Amino acid sequence: MTDLFWPGDERAGSHFSTPDFVGALLAVEEDWLGREISTPVDPDQLALAAESGGNPVIPLVRLLREQEPDVHRGLTSQDVVDSALMRMAAAAAVTLRRDVHAVAGRLAELAELHRDTAMVARTLTQHAVPTTFGFRVSAWLTAVLDADDDLARLAFPQQLGGAAGTRAALVELGREVPLGVPRWHTTRAPVTRIGDALAGVTDACARIANDVVVMSRPEIGELAEGTGGGSSTMPGKANPTLSVLVRRAALTTPQLAATLHLAAAQQVDDRADGGWHAEWATLRDLVRRTLVAASQTHDLVADLVVDTDRMAATLAAAGDTVLSEQRAMAAAAGHEPATAYLGDAAAHVDAVVARARQTLEETP
Amino acid sequence: MTDLFWPGDERAGSHFSTPDFVGALLAVEEDWLGREISTPVDPDQLALAAESGGNPVIPLVRLLREQEPDVHRGLTSQDVVDSALMRMAAAAAVTLRRDVHAVAGRLAELAELHRDTAMVARTLTQHAVPTTFGFRVSAWLTAVLDADDDLARLAFPQQLGGAAGTRAALVELGREVPLGVPRWHTTRAPVTRIGDALAGVTDACARIANDVVVMSRPEIGELAEGTGGGSSTMPGKANPTLSVLVRRAALTTPQLAATLHLAAAQQVDDRADGGWHAEWATLRDLVRRTLVAASQTHDLVADLVVDTDRMAATLAAAGDTVLSEQRAMAAAAGHEPATAYLGDAAAHVDAVVARARQTLEETP
Amino acid sequence: MTDLFWPGDERAGSHFSTPDFVGALLAVEEDWLGREISTPVDPDQLALAAESGGNPVIPLVRLLREQEPDVHRGLTSQDVVDSALMRMAAAAAVTLRRDVHAVAGRLAELAELHRDTAMVARTLTQHAVPTTFGFRVSAWLTAVLDADDDLARLAFPQQLGGAAGTRAALVELGREVPLGVPRWHTTRAPVTRIGDALAGVTDACARIANDVVVMSRPEIGELAEGTGGGSSTMPGKANPTLSVLVRRAALTTPQLAATLHLAAAQQVDDRADGGWHAEWATLRDLVRRTLVAASQTHDLVADLVVDTDRMAATLAAAGDTVLSEQRAMAAAAGHEPATAYLGDAAAHVDAVVARARQTLEETP
Amino acid sequence: MTDLFWPGDERAGSHFSTPDFVGALLAVEEDWLGREISTPVDPDQLALAAESGGNPVIPLVRLLREQEPDVHRGLTSQDVVDSALMRMAAAAAVTLRRDVHAVAGRLAELAELHRDTAMVARTLTQHAVPTTFGFRVSAWLTAVLDADDDLARLAFPQQLGGAAGTRAALVELGREVPLGVPRWHTTRAPVTRIGDALAGVTDACARIANDVVVMSRPEIGELAEGTGGGSSTMPGKANPTLSVLVRRAALTTPQLAATLHLAAAQQVDDRADGGWHAEWATLRDLVRRTLVAASQTHDLVADLVVDTDRMAATLAAAGDTVLSEQRAMAAAAGHEPATAYLGDAAAHVDAVVARARQTLEETP
């Protein structure tokens, strides 16, 4: 699966693809039925038949019952769609965290490697004080670990309530379902939490990409993507393509997460009249774009070219500007300026790297 | 083309589909080259090759040049992508306006038919004063005509600036392009205006669907969809599926239009570093969802079941409540209440219908 | 503090008001300085002086240093603004959770009281199967408890990094700050998490308000607000004003939360060039609107009028429609339909109420 | 009026301030009454009384009727609020266009002045081909003129429909209102169009600010703000504060415009149940932030420091890189590279400047 309108989409593999959705719907029905279903399902036919009832489960059940009359007994279509979405989301989260951890692992290496690589800090775009590239990378790493913490907390509950959540049909049929199995037809925190966490991942990826985009400008030249993208008309031009594509994603995901909240806030009655239906494609796009962005970010940091000489040169050229604060502080403290002016940057790098190592170890 | 995650997607036909995009890209290159291009293009291969340069034109040109070395001379990839998007958008707008006009035509009929069908007006969900169903339909029609006015104003400019907008390569090659042909690599009003107008269309469609969803509640029962959607578990249930799906769309399009503005606000340099790339899929989704919503709205109003008896009964039952304002006004004016209390509703209906007729006549 | 453009704003009290912000900024400086600051600060003067440096701390420090030359030593303005925002947010969260818990407490009562109050379930706006009002309230309560869980997880870290995060000035001045005190100048998860959790609260409030708006329609009449709002022209009209205002809030907060994500995704360098500045007013509006919505929701549920006769009448009138599923299930199971068809609704109500009680007990 | 959370807010003057809103509400009532109203109105009292009915007109009318029993006869509160909002918006648009035109005028001067100032074009952050600073400014100017075109098309209709749009009370009272006076209680294109146009203005302002932020980086140094903002800890640092604050605004306005669309898509019945109420503060924030951004952009371009030597030096240093396309084109065309490689940049600058002059002349 790929998307000509979203270069790199193939990195998301089959997650939330049409076959994946069909497979997840079938798996939910199979689990409920207690045996395999062998009816072949044509995804396009299913999609075409989905509109009249508003969702794909109605025609799917009609089809399956030709061979399996007992399929779907006691369920409502939302039970099946929601459970299928959560299966897909859970699988995608495993893949996503693998990529996020790969990014974190690489950033931990970079932070350690450049723990003492001096460069100029920039605030509001201007030269500020000295820093290290390792310290900068520790900020990237913090963003990634924060995002991973939110991913780690996600749950992917199945949905099981029947027509209106009361499980009346299940009881009528004599099927017991433990109370602990949740029902959340009209309370959508399980969905909005996923959306928020995914947006947090693209925030973190963009935070890295923004720096690469700035620092790979030729006038700065302290970073470069390992494999720059070409131009259709200018031979030899090398663009920071991965960074550009990651930034692209992060411009779109917050609004998708907001759509999930808006849909949650439209819940009404015992099952909603539009808010639910708006979630499916929104979640699909959020998941795939986040997977793509995380994977691209991994390539980006894996092959990142760091020009430490250029960093040193820029810092040296910045000269007095970046020492003005130190002089003021030393004067206030009544002593001569210390030779270095890096505060606890190195210790902070160590602490962030240690946090990363712990995260990476704890996760299976 | 259809989408299992967005029931009804097939209504958008091939607009902004992958083959449509490939075709539009080729058409732009052909126009520039001045002759047909016969190289077969595999869309999936193209999509897979698009990431390294960040857009599909770079691999496309590489492929085409195997047979046509002169293709793309003097253009930049953004010239081709933007021009292709605008070709597709222009074609989609023609289809969209056809559907919007069909909705308007049907609403004009309904408004006239029910010009004097009395019903209760509802404000903040409560019974207010008498009105007519024709008057209510005139509000729907106004929303649709306002949206159509915005569609009518759209332009779909080609893009032609070369590598950095200066047309240096074109001049070097001796190709003259009139100044009037615009270049808008980093000024994206042509894109944001389309997004805003499309969101306006789904606003209007939802405004209708919201009323159908309310008025087809069994306790109200004044309206019904012609063909209600079924349930996977409750035989005989008839849901207002089209309205639900239209409402779904309108929960998502404003955020997509916002994404286009955010992308416009990220423009920088002579060609942007992410803002441009975020537009393509966003515009695709906006266009297709709006096409689907307009088409569904047409079906909705074409087959709408109006229960005038129920409207009359509700109004009669509301009784004194809906006449309280009239009594206060008549007392203030010092006369007995008039027999009717419909203001200039009928004349307003006539005026809105006349506006619709004029729009429908003027458009080829 | 109140806002003519946002009726009910005064419910948010002084949280994130101008004096609150000034007070929080001063408190941060005082904590750092180690003693009280007595310099009077005129908030309007401060606001007017804030533009030239882009934030209010620069003129504040200039003012304070007239009397206290040692104020702010080693800090950067972002340390102070961020820490002040977090102080205000922490205080607002305490108030908010108090209201959220009051809502939960009242809903637990309502759920128990109406555990066996039969009514018709509605799905996609249409009558579905029997349910109880207590079961419906348990959904409201679940939404509120889910939102509260997210609030409970929030942290409100202080910010302490100095000019570029390295704490160079602090070390130069000889002030030690434990590594555990975080620095998050360019990693904004602490902010986006707050935004997401707040949006979750308005989602939950709206989920309740939506039902009240529907069920207080005169044709349904199963619920009513205790004190309906009046009309400027129709004597005697009673509108579900609180519900309307709660729904209003929930239409706006998801986009505000999205803005915080977009700002997070714009982080660059060692301190950002616009993303940071976009947060302050956005967070203020999010916090205040959520406080108002929660407080209004509390009034709404505290005074909610439940018409159990009307519920019973509607269910009786729905008749066969709501039993169609049961008949199908009983036939499938090969027995006569049971007398009731409420599944495990009552047990589920008990479980949700128990969850609420536990939450309310655990929180100080 | 100013806002400590939004530095620069005072630039928006009293537009959409509380007194402005009260004044506009009173002016609408006065116009309808046909004479001045002398009752003093306390804005805070009004705001506090607004919640119970959901809007400020209900308590306002109650207050005014103590002295003027005939005030508001036949109107509904939405007539007054909507008309007041449109009065305020119309006045704000006059101010805004004045600022936008001032920006355009200054950009036209800059474009002409630097029509032949050579610099390097940058695409996807990398050096591309030669361009001129005048050409770059012509892109800024195009963005501003496009935004102004959208502002010029805006209408600010009054609202006059009575309780449910039918003008029943007006007719009962014997007051004739021409049909041409619109009523748009539930069709909100007048509001969404304003929101979209305002977002278009901040898009254009940000497009300029983004370039300043990049080009004033010390490593590039081709532009600088006339008066850089200071730091609270680093003496001598000069930040591009105005650009930063303009970028801030553009991160927030698209979501506000989206909120207006979402509110429009929530319209239902004859007057809505929340969608309307969400508009007021949203429109206020959109208007004020856009006014601030336009005014800041004017200061930014008025005082912009252009370092033409640095531009020349960067272009010279870029050397062969920026000529690679030219060589390829000249080879394709079979001739030697021309001496310049600027295409029709100068002619394009002239055309854009001419467009600006025409706009500025046509507007009174």
Side-chain angles (χ1 to χ4, degrees):
Chain A
M1 184 184 180
T2 183
D3 182 353
L4 193 60
F5 291 81
W6 197 264
D9 175 72
E10 62 279 3
R11 290 174 181 260
S14 64
H15 288 293
F16 277 81
S17 66
T18 296
D20 198 35
F21 194 10
V22 172
L25 293 170
L26 281 172
V28 173
E29 296 284 6
E30 286 179 335
D31 278 2
W32 186 244
L33 184 66
R35 59 179 173 274
E36 281 191 24
I37 295 172
S38 58
T39 314
V41 178
D42 178 306
D44 277 354
Q45 284 304 314
L46 192 64
L48 292 173
E51 192 196 48
S52 75
N55 73 65
V57 173
I58 297 171
L60 177 66
V61 168
R62 200 164 43 226
L63 173 72
L64 299 183
R65 284 200 173 144
E66 292 173 12
Q67 296 189 18
E68 285 281 7
D70 291 337
V71 84
H72 191 76
R73 281 283 170 251
L75 302 183
T76 192
S77 49
Q78 188 169 356
D79 291 333
V80 184
V81 169
D82 281 349
S83 296
L85 290 173
M86 285 294 154
R87 273 174 186 255
M88 289 192 285
V94 170
T95 304
L96 180 60
R97 290 195 72 198
R98 201 175 301 141
D99 272 339
V100 166
H101 287 188
V103 172
R106 173 62 180 149
L107 291 181
E109 288 171 12
L110 275 176
E112 286 191 317
L113 185 61
H114 293 287
R115 186 177 179 277
D116 303 309
T117 302
M119 62 176 262
V120 70
R122 297 174 175 98
T123 61
L124 291 98
T125 72
Q126 301 300 301
H127 291 165
V129 292
T131 189
T132 63
F133 182 56
F135 184 81
R136 178 70 69 82
V137 173
S138 79
W140 301 354
L141 183 49
T142 297
V144 168
L145 294 172
D146 286 352
D148 186 62
D149 283 350
D150 291 343
L151 289 178
R153 269 204 288 264
L154 291 178
F156 305 94
Q158 71 175 114
Q159 174 72 279
L160 217 149
T166 58
R167 296 181 181 163
L170 277 56
V171 171
E172 189 79 26
L173 291 166
R175 286 194 64 153
E176 300 275 316
V177 178
L179 279 174
V181 174
R183 61 203 106 185
W184 41 283
H185 290 144
T186 64
T187 60
R188 309 302 287 179
V191 178
T192 56
R193 284 170 184 157
I194 295 174
D196 295 339
L198 294 173
V201 173
T202 59
D203 295 346
C205 293
R207 197 259 159 280
I208 301 170
N210 293 337
D211 275 357
V212 177
V213 158
V214 164
M215 295 170 79
S216 66
R217 283 186 176 268
E219 293 88 350
I220 300 180
E222 296 175 356
L223 295 178
E225 291 198 7
T227 318
S231 155
S232 73
T233 183
M234 291 170 286
K237 191 155 178 280
N239 296 322
T241 307
L242 289 171
S243 302
V244 162
L245 294 179
V246 168
R247 282 168 46 78
R248 161 197 68 168
L251 278 171
T252 73
T253 49
Q255 289 83 265
L256 296 174
T259 297
L260 295 179
H261 276 290
L262 285 160
Q266 289 286 319
Q267 293 298 318
V268 69
D269 293 340
D270 295 287
R271 288 182 45 220
D273 56 355
W276 177 52
H277 305 75
E279 289 176 357
W280 319 331
T282 305
L283 188 58
R284 185 249 328 259
D285 294 344
L286 248 170
V287 165
R288 289 188 66 84
R289 291 181 187 181
T290 306
L291 284 166
V292 172
S295 167
Q296 289 173 331
T297 302
H298 181 237
D299 282 9
L300 174 62
V301 298
D303 299 333
L304 191 66
V305 179
V306 183
D307 189 335
T308 57
D309 291 344
R310 189 80 178 258
M311 289 175 176
T314 305
L315 180 60
D320 278 2
T321 313
V322 301
L323 299 176
S324 71
E325 188 195 54
Q326 184 180 21
R327 294 209 184 101
M329 295 300 143
H335 59 65
E336 288 296 296
T339 48
Y341 193 62
L342 288 167
D344 64 358
H348 180 67
V349 169
D350 295 343
V352 176
V353 168
R355 178 184 167 200
R357 299 264 186 253
Q358 194 174 348
T359 294
L360 296 173
E361 272 164 28
E362 280 169 1
T363 317
Chain B
M1 183 184 181
T2 184
D3 181 354
L4 193 60
F5 291 81
W6 197 263
D9 175 72
E10 61 279 4
R11 290 175 181 262
S14 63
H15 289 292
F16 277 80
S17 65
T18 296
D20 199 34
F21 194 10
V22 173
L25 293 170
L26 280 171
V28 172
E29 296 284 7
E30 286 179 334
D31 279 3
W32 185 246
L33 185 65
R35 60 180 173 271
E36 281 190 21
I37 294 171
S38 58
T39 314
V41 178
D42 180 307
D44 277 355
Q45 285 304 315
L46 193 63
L48 293 173
E51 192 196 48
S52 75
N55 74 65
V57 172
I58 296 171
L60 177 66
V61 167
R62 198 163 45 227
L63 173 70
L64 300 183
R65 282 199 175 146
E66 292 173 10
Q67 296 191 17
E68 285 280 7
D70 291 338
V71 84
H72 191 75
R73 281 281 171 255
L75 301 183
T76 191
S77 50
Q78 188 169 356
D79 291 334
V80 183
V81 169
D82 281 350
S83 296
L85 290 173
M86 285 294 154
R87 271 174 188 255
M88 289 192 285
V94 169
T95 304
L96 179 60
R97 290 196 71 197
R98 202 176 298 141
D99 272 339
V100 166
H101 286 188
V103 172
R106 174 60 181 152
L107 291 180
E109 287 172 12
L110 275 176
E112 285 190 317
L113 186 61
H114 293 288
R115 187 178 179 274
D116 303 309
T117 301
M119 62 176 264
V120 69
R122 297 174 175 96
T123 60
L124 290 99
T125 74
Q126 302 300 300
H127 291 166
V129 292
T131 189
T132 63
F133 181 57
F135 184 81
R136 178 70 70 83
V137 173
S138 78
W140 300 354
L141 183 50
T142 296
V144 169
L145 294 172
D146 286 353
D148 185 62
D149 283 351
D150 291 344
L151 289 178
R153 269 204 288 263
L154 292 178
F156 305 94
Q158 70 176 115
Q159 176 70 279
L160 218 150
T166 57
R167 296 181 181 163
L170 278 55
V171 170
E172 188 80 24
L173 291 166
R175 286 194 65 155
E176 300 274 316
V177 179
L179 280 173
V181 174
R183 62 201 105 185
W184 42 283
H185 289 144
T186 63
T187 62
R188 308 302 286 180
V191 178
T192 56
R193 284 171 184 157
I194 294 174
D196 294 339
L198 294 172
V201 172
T202 59
D203 294 347
C205 293
R207 198 259 157 281
I208 300 170
N210 292 337
D211 276 357
V212 177
V213 158
V214 165
M215 295 169 80
S216 66
R217 283 186 175 269
E219 294 87 349
I220 300 181
E222 295 174 357
L223 295 178
E225 290 198 6
T227 317
S231 155
S232 73
T233 183
M234 292 170 285
K237 191 154 179 279
N239 295 323
T241 307
L242 288 171
S243 302
V244 163
L245 295 179
V246 168
R247 282 168 46 79
R248 161 197 67 170
L251 279 171
T252 73
T253 49
Q255 291 83 265
L256 295 174
T259 298
L260 295 179
H261 276 289
L262 286 160
Q266 289 286 320
Q267 294 297 318
V268 68
D269 293 341
D270 295 287
R271 289 182 46 219
D273 56 355
W276 177 53
H277 305 74
E279 289 176 356
W280 319 332
T282 305
L283 188 59
R284 185 252 325 262
D285 294 345
L286 249 171
V287 165
R288 288 189 66 83
R289 291 180 187 182
T290 306
L291 284 166
V292 172
S295 167
Q296 288 173 329
T297 302
H298 181 237
D299 282 9
L300 173 63
V301 297
D303 299 333
L304 191 66
V305 180
V306 183
D307 189 333
T308 58
D309 291 344
R310 190 81 178 259
M311 289 176 176
T314 306
L315 180 59
D320 279 3
T321 314
V322 300
L323 299 176
S324 71
E325 187 194 57
Q326 184 181 20
R327 290 204 187 103
M329 294 300 143
H335 59 64
E336 288 296 298
T339 47
Y341 194 62
L342 289 167
D344 63 358
H348 181 66
V349 170
D350 295 342
V352 176
V353 168
R355 180 185 166 199
R357 300 267 185 254
Q358 196 174 346
T359 295
L360 296 173
E361 273 164 28
E362 279 169 4
T363 318
Chain C
M1 184 183 178
T2 184
D3 181 354
L4 193 60
F5 291 81
W6 196 265
D9 175 71
E10 61 279 4
R11 290 174 181 263
S14 63
H15 288 293
F16 276 81
S17 64
T18 297
D20 199 34
F21 195 9
V22 173
L25 294 170
L26 281 172
V28 173
E29 295 285 5
E30 286 178 334
D31 279 2
W32 186 245
L33 184 64
R35 59 180 173 273
E36 280 191 24
I37 294 173
S38 58
T39 314
V41 178
D42 178 309
D44 277 355
Q45 284 304 314
L46 192 65
L48 293 174
E51 192 196 50
S52 76
N55 74 64
V57 172
I58 297 171
L60 177 66
V61 168
R62 197 162 46 226
L63 173 70
L64 300 183
R65 283 198 173 148
E66 292 173 12
Q67 296 190 15
E68 286 280 8
D70 290 338
V71 84
H72 191 77
R73 280 282 170 254
L75 302 182
T76 191
S77 50
Q78 189 169 355
D79 291 333
V80 183
V81 169
D82 281 349
S83 296
L85 290 172
M86 285 294 153
R87 272 174 187 254
M88 289 192 285
V94 170
T95 304
L96 179 61
R97 291 196 71 198
R98 200 176 300 142
D99 272 339
V100 166
H101 286 188
V103 172
R106 173 62 180 150
L107 292 180
E109 289 171 13
L110 275 176
E112 285 191 317
L113 184 64
H114 294 287
R115 187 177 178 276
D116 303 310
T117 302
M119 62 175 263
V120 70
R122 297 173 174 97
T123 60
L124 291 97
T125 74
Q126 301 300 301
H127 291 165
V129 292
T131 191
T132 62
F133 182 56
F135 183 81
R136 179 70 69 83
V137 173
S138 78
W140 300 355
L141 183 49
T142 297
V144 168
L145 294 172
D146 286 352
D148 185 61
D149 283 351
D150 291 343
L151 289 178
R153 269 203 289 263
L154 292 178
F156 306 94
Q158 70 176 116
Q159 174 71 278
L160 218 149
T166 58
R167 297 180 180 164
L170 277 55
V171 171
E172 188 80 24
L173 291 166
R175 286 194 65 154
E176 298 276 315
V177 178
L179 279 172
V181 174
R183 61 202 107 184
W184 41 283
H185 290 143
T186 64
T187 62
R188 309 303 287 178
V191 178
T192 56
R193 285 171 184 156
I194 295 174
D196 295 339
L198 294 173
V201 173
T202 59
D203 294 347
C205 293
R207 197 259 158 279
I208 300 170
N210 293 336
D211 275 357
V212 177
V213 158
V214 164
M215 295 169 80
S216 65
R217 282 188 176 267
E219 294 88 350
I220 300 179
E222 296 174 357
L223 294 178
E225 292 198 5
T227 317
S231 154
S232 73
T233 182
M234 291 171 284
K237 191 156 180 278
N239 295 321
T241 306
L242 288 171
S243 303
V244 162
L245 294 179
V246 168
R247 282 169 45 79
R248 162 196 66 169
L251 278 171
T252 73
T253 48
Q255 290 83 263
L256 295 174
T259 298
L260 294 179
H261 276 290
L262 286 160
Q266 289 287 319
Q267 294 297 318
V268 68
D269 293 338
D270 295 287
R271 289 183 44 221
D273 56 356
W276 177 52
H277 305 75
E279 289 176 355
W280 320 332
T282 304
L283 188 60
R284 184 250 327 261
D285 294 345
L286 249 171
V287 165
R288 289 189 65 83
R289 291 180 187 181
T290 306
L291 284 167
V292 172
S295 167
Q296 289 173 330
T297 302
H298 181 237
D299 282 8
L300 174 63
V301 298
D303 299 334
L304 191 67
V305 179
V306 184
D307 189 335
T308 57
D309 291 344
R310 190 80 179 259
M311 288 175 176
T314 305
L315 180 59
D320 278 3
T321 312
V322 299
L323 300 175
S324 71
E325 188 195 54
Q326 184 181 22
R327 294 209 184 98
M329 295 301 143
H335 59 65
E336 287 298 295
T339 48
Y341 194 62
L342 289 168
D344 63 359
H348 180 66
V349 169
D350 295 342
V352 175
V353 168
R355 178 184 167 201
R357 301 262 186 256
Q358 195 173 347
T359 295
L360 296 174
E361 273 164 27
E362 281 169 3
T363 317
Chain D
M1 183 183 180
T2 184
D3 182 354
L4 193 59
F5 292 80
W6 196 265
D9 175 72
E10 61 279 2
R11 290 175 181 260
S14 63
H15 288 293
F16 276 80
S17 65
T18 297
D20 199 34
F21 194 9
V22 172
L25 293 170
L26 281 171
V28 172
E29 295 285 6
E30 286 179 335
D31 278 3
W32 185 245
L33 183 68
R35 58 180 174 273
E36 282 190 22
I37 293 173
S38 57
T39 314
V41 178
D42 179 306
D44 277 355
Q45 284 303 313
L46 193 64
L48 293 173
E51 192 196 48
S52 75
N55 73 65
V57 172
I58 296 172
L60 177 67
V61 167
R62 198 163 45 227
L63 173 72
L64 300 183
R65 283 199 174 145
E66 293 172 10
Q67 295 189 19
E68 285 280 7
D70 290 338
V71 84
H72 192 75
R73 281 281 171 257
L75 302 182
T76 193
S77 50
Q78 190 170 355
D79 291 333
V80 183
V81 168
D82 282 350
S83 296
L85 290 172
M86 284 295 153
R87 271 174 187 255
M88 289 191 286
V94 169
T95 304
L96 180 60
R97 291 196 69 198
R98 201 175 301 140
D99 273 340
V100 166
H101 286 188
V103 172
R106 173 61 180 150
L107 292 180
E109 288 171 12
L110 276 176
E112 285 191 318
L113 185 62
H114 293 288
R115 187 177 178 274
D116 304 309
T117 301
M119 61 176 264
V120 70
R122 297 173 174 97
T123 62
L124 291 97
T125 73
Q126 301 301 301
H127 291 166
V129 292
T131 189
T132 63
F133 182 55
F135 184 81
R136 178 69 71 83
V137 173
S138 78
W140 300 355
L141 183 50
T142 297
V144 168
L145 295 172
D146 286 353
D148 185 62
D149 283 351
D150 292 344
L151 289 179
R153 269 204 288 264
L154 292 178
F156 305 94
Q158 71 175 115
Q159 174 72 280
L160 217 149
T166 58
R167 296 182 181 163
L170 279 54
V171 170
E172 189 79 24
L173 292 166
R175 285 194 67 155
E176 300 276 316
V177 178
L179 280 173
V181 174
R183 61 201 107 185
W184 41 284
H185 290 144
T186 63
T187 61
R188 309 302 288 178
V191 177
T192 55
R193 285 171 184 156
I194 295 173
D196 295 338
L198 293 173
V201 172
T202 58
D203 295 347
C205 293
R207 198 259 157 279
I208 300 170
N210 293 338
D211 276 357
V212 177
V213 158
V214 164
M215 296 169 79
S216 66
R217 283 187 176 270
E219 294 87 350
I220 300 182
E222 296 174 357
L223 295 179
E225 290 199 6
T227 317
S231 154
S232 73
T233 183
M234 289 170 285
K237 190 154 179 280
N239 295 322
T241 308
L242 288 170
S243 302
V244 162
L245 294 179
V246 167
R247 282 169 46 79
R248 160 196 69 170
L251 278 171
T252 73
T253 49
Q255 289 84 267
L256 295 174
T259 298
L260 294 179
H261 275 290
L262 286 160
Q266 288 286 320
Q267 294 297 317
V268 67
D269 293 340
D270 295 287
R271 289 181 45 219
D273 56 355
W276 178 51
H277 306 75
E279 289 176 356
W280 319 333
T282 305
L283 188 59
R284 185 249 329 259
D285 293 345
L286 249 171
V287 165
R288 288 189 66 83
R289 291 180 187 181
T290 307
L291 284 167
V292 172
S295 167
Q296 288 173 329
T297 302
H298 181 237
D299 282 9
L300 174 63
V301 297
D303 298 334
L304 191 66
V305 179
V306 184
D307 189 335
T308 57
D309 291 345
R310 189 81 178 258
M311 290 175 175
T314 306
L315 180 59
D320 277 3
T321 311
V322 300
L323 299 177
S324 71
E325 187 194 56
Q326 184 181 20
R327 291 207 186 101
M329 294 301 144
H335 58 66
E336 287 297 296
T339 47
Y341 193 62
L342 288 167
D344 62 359
H348 180 66
V349 169
D350 295 342
V352 176
V353 168
R355 179 184 166 199
R357 301 265 186 255
Q358 195 173 347
T359 294
L360 295 174
E361 272 164 27
E362 280 169 1
T363 317

